[in-house]
Amino acid sequence: MPRLALRFSTQTLLLQLGVVLLVVLLSGSVHAWLVYGRIGAEAENQALTLARTVASDPVIRAQVQAISNEPGTPPPGVLATGAIQAAAEAARSRTGALFVVVTDETGLRLAHPDLVRLGERVSTDPSDALSGKEVTTRNTGTLGPSAGAKVPVFAPGSVATVVGEVSVGYSMESLGQSLAEDIVPIALTAAGSLVAGVLASFLLRRRLQRLTLGLEPEEISTLVHDQVAVLQGVDDGVIGISADGRITVFNAAARRLLGMPEASGTPGSPAAAGSDSSGANLPGTDWTGTDWENAAVPAQLKALTQPSAHDAEAVEIVAGGRVLVANARKALHRKEDLGWVVMLRDRTELQQLTRQLDAVGTMSTALRAQRHEFANQLHTIAGFLSIGQHGQAKDYLARISATGPLKFPVQQAELLQDPYLQAFVGAKSVEADERGVALRIGPETLVREHVTEPQDVTTVLGNLIDNAVNAAVAGSSTQRWVELELLDEPGPDGGTLHIVVADSGDGLGGVEPERVFVEGFTTAEAAEGGTARAGGQGLGLALVRQLVRRRGGDVRVLEPGSPGGPGAVFMATMPGVTGSPGVTGSPGDAPPAGPSGAAEPSAAAEHKEGHQ
């Protein structure tokens, strides 16, 4: 059977335990060795002190000199009962030394604990002491290993004439007993260190497992590669927020969808510029490590991660000139809270396609509504011809030619020369007429060129007309109308189209004009302050402003209106959307014109004065 590989955390634990055990053993051994050396040094010093004391004893000095001056050495029996033996044994008994040995100038023992050894030569070299030097030694003699000292014995009244030596030693066994007494705190200290090291190793192992979620290094490496591949390979924006509220993931798609260019600095440093839902510039970073609550992202995204938010609840927001669908999910791993994952999906193209289809459907409905009128006109002409009223048939045809074969219910429609605007505004007039609202073209309308960006014009013009019709229907005035003025301003990179829309509603009431362009502003929200100009999900005017500003123009409120009418007046300036037939503009080619740079048509000014 193949051997099972130990987990990384287990390997780390065993390695840490081995290191701790080795360090404790080495530390304990060194400590014990140092203690042993200290005890030996203390024994040597004590032996040296005792040897000096014995060697300086006048009785010892006189007796040693007397024996040295005699020929030969007294027999052991005489030495055993002599004063030197008595003094040496008294000092040994008093201090607990292993031995106190006194010799003559030739190294023969004059005093020794073992009486049998008296008169014999010492087992260790006495030459250093007999030459007048004091030495400490650690050696093994007839009584066993010892730590001691050798001191010369000088003749009475002399400091130069050596007549013998004194050797004192303490047993190494007694040193071991002293070490044994000191080894207990050493062992306790080592054991405590080992227990602390083991406990710290186990705690570190648990923390390592918690931080890595129990994954092995190979698994973590694979996850990192997979994460990079997935986050960079998807078109959806992904934002990861950790459990402590910090951004851990902010992929390139999320920056692109939120209108934030790629970051070029280090984490947490200013590196790029983004824009919020109102189009204002914001400082950009790569966001990693940034506090989520302080991040410059739309407030709707932050609301999705609040504790009271429902998991996976999707909302629509406008950011970076796009309509985004955002939702957040709680991230869990083995019941552990890992934070939130916010997903962003782009619905801009779908919204634009929906508006285009709405425009086509509107015009189709208008054409179907006019089909009966066209058929009736043909029947009328056929009737005149069948009864021979050729003159009346001719006059009837002339009237039809003057007004067009299909008559939209829009007043002063002849002021519109562009076929696209004719068809679109005419279709909108049919919808307004069905709701009891008269759509009319202002007398100052003048569009000399053709629309080259019908998609953008549809989005802006359709939104403003729809909001104006809603305001007129909700208004208190008995005469419900919407007035539209269009004026183009030729330019080298495409003409600028100025759009002014007014209605008979009750205006904005107490609502701040800029607030109607905030994402999420709806009719229901503004009901207390007046007739709101935004409807649906509160994305229309916000998206319109984003779109127009991206082209270099702007949308703003010229007049907030008043209760009882006339209502609010909106103006949109769209650079680069008109031109000669066959010329197509581009948002990137649009001239940089902002809210204050666009020329306000005189028709709008006169219309404002008429509403005062």
Side-chain angles (χ1 to χ4, degrees):
M1 292 179 61
R3 187 178 62 179
L4 295 177
L6 294 177
R7 297 182 63 84
F8 176 72
S9 57
T10 303
Q11 294 177 2
T12 304
L13 174 62
L14 294 178
L15 178 61
Q16 290 170 340
L17 292 178
V19 171
V20 170
L21 180 60
L22 178 61
V23 170
V24 169
L25 289 178
L26 287 176
S27 301
S29 300
V30 171
H31 192 186
W33 181 77
L34 292 175
V35 170
Y36 181 79
R38 177 179 57 80
I39 294 176
E42 290 177 356
E44 291 175 354
N45 292 332
Q46 188 175 357
L48 181 61
T49 300
L50 180 59
R52 287 173 177 173
T53 301
V54 173
S56 63
D57 187 348
V59 174
I60 295 294
R61 295 175 69 180
Q63 290 293 324
V64 171
Q65 184 185 27
I67 293 175
S68 297
N69 292 333
E70 295 179 0
T73 303
V78 176
L79 294 175
T81 58
I84 298 176
Q85 176 68 17
E89 283 299 300
R92 186 182 67 84
S93 300
R94 185 175 64 252
T95 60
L98 176 64
F99 61 85
V100 176
V101 176
V102 180
T103 70
D104 60 10
E105 78 282 2
T106 61
L108 298 178
R109 298 187 182 100
L110 304 178
H112 192 278
D114 187 358
L115 298 179
V116 179
R117 303 291 183 181
L118 292 175
E120 297 179 355
R121 186 174 180 80
V122 293
S123 59
T124 57
D125 184 15
S127 58
D128 288 336
L130 294 176
S131 63
K133 300 178 182 178
E134 294 181 349
V135 295
T136 57
T137 63
R138 291 189 190 184
N139 46 41
T140 303
T142 58
L143 298 178
S146 64
K150 294 180 183 294
V151 174
V153 177
F154 296 99
S158 174
V159 294
T161 304
V162 178
V163 294
E165 60 127 352
V166 175
S167 178
V168 177
Y170 285 89
S171 174
M172 297 297 290
E173 294 179 358
S174 63
L175 298 183
Q177 293 176 355
S178 299
L179 178 62
E181 295 175 358
D182 290 346
I183 204 66
V184 175
I186 297 176
L188 292 177
T189 302
S193 301
L194 183 60
V195 171
V198 171
L199 180 60
S201 299
F202 273 101
L203 293 177
L204 183 60
R205 177 175 180 263
R206 289 188 59 184
R207 176 170 175 79
L208 181 63
Q209 286 182 323
R210 184 169 64 253
L211 292 177
T212 61
L213 304 179
L215 299 176
E216 296 299 302
E218 297 80 5
E219 295 174 321
I220 296 175
S221 177
T222 301
L223 283 177
V224 170
H225 286 89
D226 293 344
Q227 181 190 30
V228 172
V230 171
L231 292 180
Q232 301 302 326
V234 298
D235 291 332
D236 293 343
V238 180
I239 304 175
I241 301 99
S242 63
D244 61 355
R246 298 201 170 270
I247 298 176
T248 57
V249 176
F250 207 105
N251 71 341
R255 287 192 289 266
R256 174 177 56 82
L257 294 177
L258 293 175
M260 302 173 183
E262 291 292 334
S264 58
T266 58
S269 64
S275 61
D276 61 1
S277 59
S278 64
N281 290 332
L282 294 170
T285 67
D286 68 357
W287 303 112
T288 303
T290 304
D291 185 67
W292 174 242
E293 292 299 325
N294 297 329
V297 297
Q300 293 91 329
L301 292 183
K302 298 178 183 178
L304 292 176
T305 60
Q306 296 300 319
S308 59
H310 297 289
D311 194 15
E313 180 181 0
V315 299
E316 285 191 350
I317 65 173
V318 176
R322 301 173 184 272
V323 178
L324 306 178
V325 177
N327 70 296
R329 290 184 180 274
K330 197 71 174 175
L332 300 174
H333 179 77
R334 298 176 183 175
K335 297 183 180 181
E336 181 180 358
D337 184 7
L338 302 182
W340 290 87
V341 177
V342 179
M343 301 292 296
L344 301 173
R345 298 176 180 86
D346 192 0
R347 285 194 57 186
T348 305
E349 295 182 358
L350 181 59
Q351 287 279 350
Q352 294 173 345
L353 180 60
T354 301
R355 290 196 172 276
Q356 285 182 319
L357 292 176
D358 288 343
V360 173
T362 299
M363 287 187 285
S364 298
T365 301
L367 292 174
R368 285 195 300 269
Q370 297 298 325
R371 182 180 57 187
H372 297 291
E373 180 181 354
F374 182 74
N376 291 336
Q377 291 173 348
L378 291 179
H379 286 302
T380 301
I381 295 172
F384 281 134
L385 295 177
S386 64
I387 63 176
Q389 297 294 329
H390 297 28
Q392 292 184 3
K394 183 177 180 180
D395 294 338
Y396 187 65
L397 284 173
R399 289 196 301 272
I400 292 177
S401 298
T403 59
L406 298 177
K407 184 179 180 182
F408 289 116
V410 56
Q411 302 176 22
Q412 304 185 77
E414 64 276 3
L415 296 176
L416 290 176
Q417 302 298 320
D418 180 76
Y420 176 80
L421 292 177
Q422 287 180 353
F424 184 73
V425 174
K428 285 296 182 182
S429 70
V430 174
E431 287 186 345
D433 186 64
E434 291 177 352
R435 301 183 63 183
V437 178
L439 178 62
R440 64 192 186 206
I441 306 299
E444 299 297 329
T445 295
L446 178 60
V447 180
R448 292 156 291 185
E449 297 185 332
H450 294 276
V451 173
T452 58
E453 296 290 345
Q455 180 174 326
D456 289 352
V457 173
T458 298
T459 300
V460 176
L461 186 58
N463 241 298
L464 295 179
I465 293 177
D466 290 343
N467 290 340
V469 171
N470 292 336
V473 171
S476 58
S477 175
T478 57
Q479 295 185 354
R480 298 175 177 177
W481 51 265
V482 171
E483 183 168 306
L484 171 67
E485 285 191 356
L486 299 168
L487 178 64
D488 68 333
E489 180 182 353
D493 297 322
T496 300
L497 182 64
H498 303 279
I499 304 171
V500 178
V501 179
D503 60 69
S504 60
D506 292 333
L508 301 180
V511 178
E512 181 69 24
E514 283 298 311
R515 188 182 170 196
V516 300
F517 296 102
V518 176
E519 177 187 347
F521 183 84
T522 61
T523 302
E525 181 182 350
E528 298 180 359
T531 302
R533 304 302 298 261
Q537 295 178 324
L539 299 175
L541 287 177
L543 179 61
V544 164
R545 171 169 275 189
Q546 289 273 5
L547 187 152
V548 173
R549 284 185 170 178
R550 188 169 58 185
R551 300 194 64 90
D554 196 18
V555 178
R556 63 184 187 274
V557 178
L558 293 182
E559 283 292 336
S562 57
V569 180
F570 280 72
M571 176 180 174
T573 303
M574 301 185 66
V577 297
T578 62
S580 301
V583 177
T584 302
S586 172
D589 300 329
S596 62
E600 181 178 319
S602 59
E606 294 179 5
H607 195 80
K608 287 168 53 182
E609 295 176 358
H611 285 310
Q612 296 295 329

